[in-house]
């Protein structure tokens, strides 16, 4: 493994060296973009530009067996860890300040604000977890009281459910308020109508880059994760409350799941590895981590009403998770469940100990009873026209590794 950089790696793309830039040369996140009239292609973000990797491969400036000519990163992920490291090494050398190739590469840079970003990979299957202790305690306290907040299994395993890959959309895609069966506690029977308690969940998604067919260790799981995206698991709380027993969430979570367009690689996050918080009870051996496998990533959520100004409604950190993505993946595979390249694992809502660390409106407004104040109004749940934007970055001494925005606007229910 290459030693992580300890400071900003300067690039000849000047905007990449600016303080606070999400995409310095230390990052090199992978996405898929198109420009007017062109087909979607693989690229990497550098400063306020996108380097067209498809173009570089066609021009003979990069040689990766044609993997980057496709409109997604699945084929490249499948090519293995050796190739992951080789591409990162190659791009770092090509984009470094003083690189001889600068002149030949410059025509392959595209202004990010003139490009459209697409799904960076094809989601094979999608699993979502429930792995932040603060979130589980908050939600459990609301639904079952403080004595029974945590289910008896919670401290022993990362609890998850199988979601819908078809629901995953890229940042910027509008989300339609869902309809479903709703039943107020005092009502004798359910009715069918638009969800009145539509919510967000601030999460990080881990992307599986190497397949497995049988149990794997936590260390192997860590090594098979290609990278991470921000993930908003839109959730209809009223549909969920009526449908979830006994098999867990179903349609409440199947409307849409928004991800950020840039895959921030595990390699870029390497300097920001940290341990999971102390265990409240010892874990079974197959879930033990041999080293730090969580990351220090500052996260926030902005809410912007239609025509209004934004309010930051949550600030938290990925380090609050009780289980890392590597533990979740090892648990997932422990039964023999085959895992595939392009599988997406949602972390679960990321909440911290303070009120403004809560990663969902359900928690922020305490079940809708304590609406939060926003610029020009208040919110218990998401209203039509609201845009929700997740942001995240890891902070180095003089640079950051950012995720860009993960945004979606809520459209009114059909009909
Ligand atoms: Mn979730």
């Amino acid at each position: 493994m290459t030693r992580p950089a300890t400071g900003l790696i300067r690039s000849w793309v000047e905007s990449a060296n600016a303080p606070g830039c999400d995409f310095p040369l230390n990052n090199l996140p992978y996405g898929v973009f198109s420009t007017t009239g062109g087909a979607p292609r693989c690229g990497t973000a550098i400063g306020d530009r996108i380097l067209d990797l498809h173009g570089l491969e066609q021009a003979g400036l990069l040689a990766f067996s044609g993997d980057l000519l496709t409109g997604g990163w699945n084929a490249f992920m499948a090519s293995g860890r050796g190739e992951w490291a080789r591409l990162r090494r190659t791009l770092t050398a090509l984009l470094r300040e003083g690189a001889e190739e600068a002149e030949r590469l410059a025509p392959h840079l595209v202004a990010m604000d003139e490009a459209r970003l697409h799904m960076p990979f094809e989601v094979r299957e999608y699993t979502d977890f429930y792995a932040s202790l603060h979130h589980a305690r908050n939600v459990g306290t609301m639904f079952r009281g403080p004595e029974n907040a945590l289910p008896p299994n919670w401290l022993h395993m990362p609890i998850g459910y199988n979601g819908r890959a078809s629901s995953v959309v890229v940042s910027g895609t509008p989300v339609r308020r869902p309809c479903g069966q709703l039943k107020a506690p005092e009502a004798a029977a359910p009715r069918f109508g638009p969800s009145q308690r539509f919510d967000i969940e601030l999460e990080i998604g881990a992307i599986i880059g190497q397949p497995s067919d049988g149990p794997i260790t936590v260390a192997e799981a860590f090594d098979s994760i290609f990278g991470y995206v921000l993930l908003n698991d839109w959730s209809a709380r009223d549909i969920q409350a009526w449908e979830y027993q006994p098999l867990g969430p179903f349609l409440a979570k199947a409307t849409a799941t928004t991800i950020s367009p840039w895959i921030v690689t595990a390699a870029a996050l390497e300097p920001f590895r940290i341990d999971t918080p102390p265990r409240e009870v010892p874990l079974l051996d197959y879930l033990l981590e041999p080293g730090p496998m969580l990351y220090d990533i500052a996260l926030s959520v902005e809410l912007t009403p239609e025509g209004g100004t934004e309010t930051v409604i949550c600030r938290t950190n990925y380090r609050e998770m009780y289980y890392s993505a590597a533990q979740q993946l090892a648990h997932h595979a422990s039964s023999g469940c085959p895992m595939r390249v392009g599988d997406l694992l949602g972390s679960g809502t990321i909440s911290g100990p303070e009120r403004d660390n809560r990663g969902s409106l359900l928690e922020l407004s305490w079940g809708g009873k304590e609406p939060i104040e926003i610029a020009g109004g208040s919110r218990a749940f998401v209203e039509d026209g609201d845009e929700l934007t997740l942001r995240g970055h890891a902070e180095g001494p003089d640079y950051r590794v950012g995720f860009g925005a993960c945004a979606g606007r809520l459209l009114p229910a059909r009909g």
Side-chain angles (χ1 to χ4, degrees):
M1 187 172 294
T2 47
R3 264 224 343 271
T6 51
L8 174 73
I9 309 171
R10 295 188 64 85
S11 171
W12 53 263
V13 180
E14 267 307 318
S15 58
N17 305 324
C21 173
D22 266 355
F23 309 119
L25 187 45
N26 304 63
N27 191 346
L28 292 177
Y30 300 138
V32 170
F33 74 102
S34 63
T35 47
T36 324
R41 58 186 69 190
C42 290
T44 188
I46 179 79
D48 60 3
R49 304 293 152 118
I50 300 171
L51 183 62
D52 179 355
L53 300 182
H54 168 101
L56 290 191
E57 208 164 41
Q58 276 186 321
L61 293 166
L62 271 185
F64 281 86
S65 52
D67 291 338
L68 306 174
L69 295 174
T70 62
W73 283 87
N74 297 62
F76 177 77
M77 288 194 277
S79 70
R81 288 173 55 80
E83 291 295 87
W84 303 356
R86 188 165 72 89
L87 179 60
R88 185 168 173 81
R89 238 181 5 250
T90 306
L91 292 175
T92 303
L94 289 172
L95 288 164
R96 221 176 181 126
E97 196 169 55
E100 285 172 17
E101 297 87 348
E103 218 164 289
R104 280 189 293 156
L105 257 66
H108 299 281
L109 287 173
V110 174
M112 201 177 285
D113 56 15
E114 287 168 19
R116 185 175 154 210
L117 295 169
H118 302 264
M119 280 292 291
F121 67 107
E122 185 197 347
V123 179
R124 287 297 301 270
E125 301 201 46
Y126 166 50
T127 305
D128 194 34
F129 287 88
Y130 182 60
S132 147
L133 187 54
H134 301 288
H135 173 70
R137 283 225 163 97
N138 285 338
V139 173
T141 300
M142 270 182 263
F143 290 139
R144 289 179 293 274
E147 302 303 305
N148 301 308
L150 283 188
N153 54 4
W154 202 94
L155 292 170
H156 299 280
M157 69 165 85
I159 299 176
Y161 65 92
N162 290 306
R164 292 285 302 175
S166 62
S167 74
V168 183
V169 296
V170 74
S171 177
T173 309
V175 172
R176 177 77 63 183
R177 180 184 295 277
C179 292
Q181 280 205 21
L182 314 169
K183 187 190 162 301
E186 63 280 5
R191 62 188 182 85
F192 189 88
S195 168
Q196 302 300 307
R197 291 159 71 90
F198 199 59
D199 198 359
I200 56 154
E201 291 193 341
L202 166 61
E203 305 191 20
I204 280 190
I207 301 158
I208 309 309
Q210 285 292 284
S212 56
D213 189 12
I216 55 175
T217 65
V218 176
E220 288 166 339
F222 183 79
D223 284 345
S224 67
I225 296 171
F226 180 67
Y228 296 83
V229 287
L230 299 173
L231 185 150
N232 180 359
D233 175 24
W234 299 91
S235 300
R237 302 300 180 192
D238 38 9
I239 296 174
Q240 185 179 355
W242 171 234
E243 76 175 2
Y244 88 104
Q245 299 192 72
L247 289 183
F250 184 47
L251 297 176
K253 307 274 194 170
T255 301
T257 302
T258 304
I259 63 168
S260 52
W262 296 107
I263 304 171
V264 175
T265 62
L269 292 169
E270 182 66 23
F272 307 101
R273 285 170 64 169
I274 47 157
D275 286 312
T276 43
R279 302 294 93 179
E280 303 212 349
V281 297
L283 288 175
L284 292 170
D285 284 350
Y286 80 100
L287 287 173
L288 294 178
E289 289 186 315
M293 293 185 173
L294 196 59
Y295 299 99
D296 186 344
I297 299 171
L299 299 164
S300 65
V301 180
E302 287 165 20
L303 189 157
T304 311
E306 195 155 24
T309 50
E310 81 269 12
T311 302
V312 175
I313 59 171
C314 164
R315 286 183 203 282
T316 184
N317 193 299
Y318 187 50
R319 67 187 305 161
E320 300 288 355
M321 299 307 297
Y322 194 78
Y323 296 102
S324 67
Q327 286 172 312
Q328 294 174 331
L329 175 53
H331 180 63
H332 210 319
S334 65
S335 67
C337 176
M339 303 302 292
R340 294 175 175 147
V341 173
D343 280 357
L344 175 66
L345 307 189
S347 60
T349 310
I350 304 165
S351 294
E354 307 299 329
R355 181 172 173 178
D356 71 345
N357 300 150
R358 298 171 185 167
S360 67
L361 279 161
L362 176 73
E363 295 165 86
L364 285 164
S365 71
W366 207 250
K369 291 196 205 99
E370 302 167 16
I372 55 164
E373 287 186 19
I374 60 163
S378 68
R379 282 295 180 279
F381 292 97
V382 185
E383 295 191 2
D384 291 348
D386 285 353
E387 183 166 53
L388 276 300
T389 306
L390 279 46
R391 294 183 198 281
H393 72 270
E395 191 80 51
D398 58 350
Y399 71 98
R400 60 166 52 173
V401 168
F403 284 75
C406 174
R409 187 177 291 284
L410 185 64
L411 304 177
R414 274 193 187 84

